[in-house]
Amino acid sequence: MAARRKKIKIAVTGLNAIDSPGPGIPVIRALRASGDFDVRIIGLSYETLEPGIYMHDLVDKTYQIPFPSSGKASLLTRLKYINSIEKIDLIIPNFDAELFNFITLANTLRKEMGIRVFVPTLDQFEERHKSNLPAFGKKHKIKVPFSKMIFSTAEIPSLRKDFTYPLVVKGKYYDASIAYTPEQVASHFNKISAKWGLPVIIQQFVYGQEVNVTAIGDGKGNTMGAVPMRKQYITDKGKAWSGISINDRKLMDMTKKLIRSTKWKGGMELEIIKTANDEYYLLEINPRFPAWVYLAVGCGQNHPEMLVKMAMGEKVVPFKKYDIGKMFVRYSYDLIVELKEFEKISTLGEL
Amino acid sequence: MRLKKNLALSDSGFVFDPSTGDSFSTNPIGLEIVKMLQTGKDADEIKAQVVKTYLIDEVGFEKDYYDFVNTLTKLKLSDGSPEKKD
């Protein structure tokens, strides 16, 4: 007789399954695919048109939560209300920008509401910030493209001293654009700083193939799972619309070394450029699962399920293998939504 | 040349390099040559086999063979080591 699946209530953010997708929906799909958990999914949304709100086959109930910029006090108040109804066991945050609040609230959530989160420590989170990446690379002996923070367009002409064009202009949380001229840097600077604030990061462009790794660490230095992927189709926003799992030992060694030396806790994504000379440059560490994390499930490693088990204190063994040559192909799909539903989430903040 | 050991070949001529995620298609004779390269056969052995099986002379074969092998190298399907000579 098959063992009964354990009932668990998990709140998930990142329901924006849009052209630059949040990881919430793939994380939920992974949780629904779990053989060990029978999940009730509570969606936590920021905006009323996040598609996940209306995907009732995946999300059981959605509550709006305040934007990260509102601070952790207002988030805590809202979570108290939601928890009074839902009795949440675990929250899986999926946005870089909200992680600070969830990391700093972790103890309070556990003590006051019995809600667990399994996220990196504040030190881990801060250390891998784009603006700190050169120091991070030096400390952990990983190649990182040269980068520099700038705070005003007045600094752009002097970039020629340190960089050769093209270069990459990056927001502190999201967005990256390639610039071939100082004028383009100025244009990207204005767009990105208006959206994500300052500083803006200037990074040397490295030619090569984009490879990414989705991984999960136990917080003690052990890699509990890792699947590398090569982007096959990239959107104009630089997002993988299609990718394939690959067998790249160097990439796996780099991932394990990084998780060992940082004692990374939780999900993560490594964004890496592999040059024609087989050199690997770390572009970014995202402190959460990527939007393509469901590929890992397809390859035999359910990373979100592993995260739930670790968060709930269950005994786990690391994944040892994964399928190579498995592909994902993303697609868009039009949901038909009744105005009543839109009205409810817009006015009541829940659906 | 020596091909990467872990290349996956299918009977349809689909060649998959698991270390990079690249995939290619080749025609039946290309597949036959790739398979021979993968088993470690050198150019002379492959030439002997192909000339024996198909209507082609040695000079004609060599021209196409080295062209094909150059393509494989450009596509980074070679393991980088020189061809084994006995």
Side-chain angles (χ1 to χ4, degrees), chain A residues 54-351:
Chain A
Y54 308 99
M55 300 168 91
H56 303 306
D57 52 337
L58 291 174
V59 182
D60 295 299
K61 172 99 192 225
T62 300
Y63 295 86
Q64 295 262 67
I65 56 172
F67 278 105
S69 53
S70 312
K72 56 185 183 181
S74 58
L75 175 64
L76 188 62
T77 306
R78 182 64 173 155
L79 289 176
K80 276 181 181 167
Y81 165 75
I82 297 168
N83 195 53
S84 70
I85 302 164
E86 299 292 347
K87 302 282 177 283
I88 296 165
D89 295 300
L90 169 70
I91 299 178
I92 304 181
N94 287 302
F95 282 124
D96 301 18
E98 69 188 2
L99 264 178
F100 177 83
N101 285 343
F102 280 104
I103 291 169
T104 50
L105 281 176
N107 284 336
T108 312
L109 290 172
R110 181 77 198 271
K111 278 183 199 156
E112 293 186 13
M113 292 182 255
I115 300 175
R116 297 165 191 245
V117 288
F118 198 81
V119 287
T121 65
L122 196 54
D123 284 346
Q124 290 167 349
F125 177 71
E126 295 291 349
E127 188 187 36
R128 55 89 248 168
H129 261 305
K130 289 178 199 178
S131 46
N132 300 334
L133 208 57
F136 181 91
K138 208 172 173 185
K139 181 176 168 189
H140 299 287
K141 296 187 176 68
I142 285 169
K143 281 184 186 162
V144 171
F146 178 70
S147 69
K148 185 177 177 177
M149 289 181 276
I150 62 169
F151 294 84
S152 109
T153 50
E155 296 176 73
I156 293 172
S158 63
L159 290 175
R160 278 198 186 279
K161 278 190 266 172
D162 300 318
F163 294 88
T164 51
Y165 282 88
L167 44 79
V168 187
V169 186
K170 291 183 157 189
K172 63 178 174 180
Y173 292 119
Y174 300 102
D175 274 354
S177 298
I178 299 169
Y180 294 86
T181 62
E183 292 73 26
Q184 285 180 349
V185 177
S187 161
H188 297 323
F189 178 95
N190 290 331
K191 273 185 205 156
I192 289 173
S193 61
K195 200 167 175 188
W196 301 111
L198 294 170
V200 165
I201 293 106
I202 305 296
Q203 192 176 65
Q204 184 59 57
F205 182 82
V206 180
Y207 288 93
Q209 206 170 55
E210 284 193 52
V211 284
N212 292 2
V213 184
T214 175
I216 180 164
D218 67 353
K220 296 169 193 156
N222 300 307
T223 300
M224 304 308 289
V227 175
M229 175 276 288
R230 198 199 99 194
K231 292 182 182 182
Q232 289 182 300
Y233 187 104
I234 302 173
T235 68
D236 55 359
K237 291 197 172 177
K239 304 295 166 188
W241 200 256
S242 171
I244 188 164
S245 62
I246 56 172
N247 179 19
D248 189 323
R249 190 167 289 280
K250 276 191 192 170
L251 205 51
M252 291 298 274
D253 289 347
M254 185 175 172
T255 305
K256 285 179 183 169
K257 181 181 154 193
L258 208 144
I259 289 181
R260 192 166 51 241
S261 61
T262 57
K263 293 191 166 49
W264 189 265
K265 186 180 175 193
M268 74 184 323
E269 180 192 28
L270 301 179
E271 294 188 13
I272 292 155
I273 288 279
K274 182 183 174 185
T275 68
N277 302 325
D278 274 357
E279 289 179 310
Y280 293 75
Y281 283 87
L282 179 66
L283 299 185
E284 269 179 38
I285 299 176
N286 292 318
R288 37 102 193 137
F289 291 126
W292 57 273
V293 69
Y294 196 74
L295 177 67
V297 181
C299 293
Q301 294 194 4
N302 192 331
H303 292 179
E305 181 192 53
M306 172 67 85
L307 183 142
V308 175
K309 286 180 178 173
M310 289 196 289
M312 302 313 288
E314 290 190 12
K315 238 182 163 180
V316 284
V317 284
F319 289 112
K320 291 280 182 220
K321 54 182 186 175
Y322 61 90
D323 293 345
I324 295 153
K326 275 267 167 78
M327 292 169 57
F328 76 88
V329 181
R330 200 165 275 164
Y331 68 103
S332 60
Y333 186 92
D334 299 336
L335 284 171
I336 302 302
V337 175
E338 297 298 333
L339 186 61
K340 274 263 168 236
E341 294 199 331
F342 181 64
E343 177 194 324
K344 209 173 165 197
I345 190 77
S346 303
T347 55
L348 302 176
E350 50 189 272
L351 180 66

Side-chain angles (χ1 to χ4, degrees), chain B residues 6 11 15 18 22 30-31 34-35 56 60 67 72 79 85-86:
Chain B
N6 57 355
D11 290 340
V15 180
D22 287 329
L31 179 65
V34 169
K35 279 182 176 171
I56 188 165
D67 192 32
L72 295 176
D79 76 352
K85 288 277 177 199
D86 295 323

Side-chain angles (χ1 to χ4, degrees), chain B:
Chain B
M1 79 173 295
R2 285 222 180 145
L3 282 183
K4 285 180 178 170
K5 280 189 188 126
N6 57 355
L7 287 184
L9 309 177
S10 78
D11 290 340
S12 64
F14 188 78
V15 180
F16 173 63
D17 180 352
S19 61
T20 61
D22 287 329
S23 55
F24 311 93
S25 291
T26 180
N27 62 14
I29 182 66
L31 179 65
E32 219 170 300
I33 291 171
V34 169
K35 279 182 176 171
M36 284 191 268
L37 284 167
Q38 213 178 24
T39 56
K41 287 198 166 122
D42 64 22
D44 288 341
E45 289 170 306
I46 295 171
K47 182 170 67 182
Q49 175 77 38
V50 173
V51 168
K52 196 172 101 185
T53 317
Y54 298 98
L55 280 174
I56 188 165
D57 60 29
E58 291 194 358
V59 176
F61 168 77
E62 278 176 9
K63 181 179 162 293
D64 290 344
Y65 174 78
Y66 287 109
D67 192 32
F68 185 62
V69 160
N70 271 340
T71 304
L72 295 176
T73 306
K74 273 186 203 155
L75 296 174
K76 296 196 164 189
L77 298 177
S78 151
D79 76 352
S81 60
E83 194 172 85
K84 192 180 115 193
K85 288 277 177 199
D86 295 323

